[in-house]
Amino acid sequence: TILAVIPWQLCVTHPMDQDGHCGLSRKAVDALVKGETPYAKMLQEYDPSLPNDWPPNARSSLDGLPPGDWDRHLKWFEAGCLKRKATEDERRGMYLMVARSGSSRAYEQGGYLFLAPLYDLYNHRNGKYHNTLVKVEEGESISIIAGRDINAGEEIFNTYGEGTLELFRDYGFVEPHPRVWNLGGLRFVEEDEGRVTWPAAGAPMGPARDEFLNRLALLKRALSAPLPSPDDDAEAALLERASLFISAVGGAVDAATADLANNRLSGEL
């Protein structure tokens, strides 16, 4: 079932084989500075407010916490695309490319990168909640298609990628469950009710489990650091987001620790 069709001419597009993500970032800047279309005007109002650009006091609340590479995209953009420091408009264009773009094919297969109205307004959720697919006809349209039967009243979800830490870094929100965590060098999934699954090689055992639990214990201590006091209401809102993120990471640490303790007890029995 086709849910929406977005004409190609309404999108901001760029060929992957012509400077790829750098090129789309530059076109996003053009849309921000010069755009006159309704979509460009909507992009002009977009404030990403990502953790790397928070004021220093709020940003300090995330010091020492994973994923740690909060400035990853800005470093790439300045070193790989600009060869200099980015202006404010260039930073916003790059963040638009990171947070709101899609691609018509796998990167190594060429195709197009795009920013598309409506496509970038669907909320994110993974697991059984993700219910859409994207079909790109290059030069023609971008279609949103139902990936399964969707019940009346059910929200339509896109996916922005996988990894709760990385999603917070790149989009600034804590995703709802299920959450995929890369913590302490291992990957696990925290399901809706705190149940943990280990989709790779299974739960760690023996010395590997003990080392992983030690790393989680160190992270838990880092999470207990007090938050700074806000300087104003805007900073208080950012610190509230930081608190939600810290709480989510702490919940994942507790869930993984409890699951491994139960596994160990079951093995001993």
Side-chain angles (χ1 to χ4, degrees), residues 83-144:
K83 317 298 182 187
R84 58 172 171 78
K85 290 290 186 182
T87 66
E88 182 60 31
D89 281 337
E90 287 169 337
R91 288 169 74 105
R92 289 186 63 218
M94 180 272 295
Y95 286 135
L96 279 172
M97 185 278 298
V98 170
R100 305 182 76 127
S101 67
S103 61
S104 62
R105 309 183 207 173
Y107 189 77
E108 64 275 6
Q109 296 175 348
Y112 282 81
L113 296 164
F114 60 82
L115 297 166
L118 185 63
Y119 167 84
D120 61 4
L121 292 180
Y122 290 117
N123 286 328
H124 159 89
R125 200 160 187 188
N126 280 328
K128 65 183 181 181
Y129 302 96
H130 178 213
N131 50 18
T132 59
L133 300 171
V134 179
K135 179 182 179 182
V136 180
E137 297 183 61
E138 295 172 3
E140 297 293 332
S141 64
I142 297 168
S143 299
I144 312 299

Side-chain angles (χ1 to χ4, degrees), residues 24-236:
L24 184 64
S25 296
R26 295 189 185 98
K27 286 192 174 178
V29 174
D30 288 342
L32 288 171
V33 176
K34 307 172 188 175
E36 295 295 332
T37 67
Y39 183 48
K41 292 183 181 298
M42 187 195 78
L43 294 179
Q44 290 162 11
E45 297 174 358
Y46 173 66
D47 177 13
S49 188
L50 301 182
N52 187 54
D53 275 357
W54 290 1
N57 189 44
R59 174 65 183 76
S60 70
S61 65
L62 304 174
D63 287 349
L65 301 183
D69 56 346
W70 301 102
D71 59 352
R72 174 189 177 201
H73 298 296
L74 182 61
K75 280 185 173 179
W76 157 78
F77 185 57
E78 292 182 336
C81 299
L82 300 177
K83 317 298 182 187
R84 58 172 171 78
K85 290 290 186 182
T87 66
E88 182 60 31
D89 281 337
E90 287 169 337
R91 288 169 74 105
R92 289 186 63 218
M94 180 272 295
Y95 286 135
L96 279 172
M97 185 278 298
V98 170
R100 305 182 76 127
S101 67
S103 61
S104 62
R105 309 183 207 173
Y107 189 77
E108 64 275 6
Q109 296 175 348
Y112 282 81
L113 296 164
F114 60 82
L115 297 166
L118 185 63
Y119 167 84
D120 61 4
L121 292 180
Y122 290 117
N123 286 328
H124 159 89
R125 200 160 187 188
N126 280 328
K128 65 183 181 181
Y129 302 96
H130 178 213
N131 50 18
T132 59
L133 300 171
V134 179
K135 179 182 179 182
V136 180
E137 297 183 61
E138 295 172 3
E140 297 293 332
S141 64
I142 297 168
S143 299
I144 312 299
I145 301 171
R148 58 168 173 78
D149 290 341
I150 301 175
N151 296 322
E154 181 180 355
E155 183 170 354
I156 297 173
F157 286 108
N158 195 353
T159 178
Y160 299 176
E162 187 176 271
T164 303
L165 300 174
E166 294 78 11
L167 287 166
F168 184 74
R169 177 195 65 200
D170 296 347
Y171 298 91
F173 68 86
V174 177
E175 68 172 331
H177 295 93
R179 295 170 177 163
V180 177
W181 297 98
N182 295 289
L183 290 173
L186 290 177
R187 178 175 177 271
F188 61 92
V189 179
E190 184 188 6
E191 304 288 354
D192 288 5
E193 298 178 356
R195 183 173 60 88
V196 170
T197 58
W198 307 84
M205 303 295 289
R209 175 189 60 205
D210 295 339
E211 176 60 27
F212 178 63
L213 287 172
N214 286 337
R215 291 195 292 268
L216 291 186
L218 290 173
L219 175 57
K220 187 74 172 179
R221 285 197 287 272
L223 293 169
S224 65
L227 292 176
S229 299
D231 292 331
D232 51 38
D233 289 345
E235 197 163 82

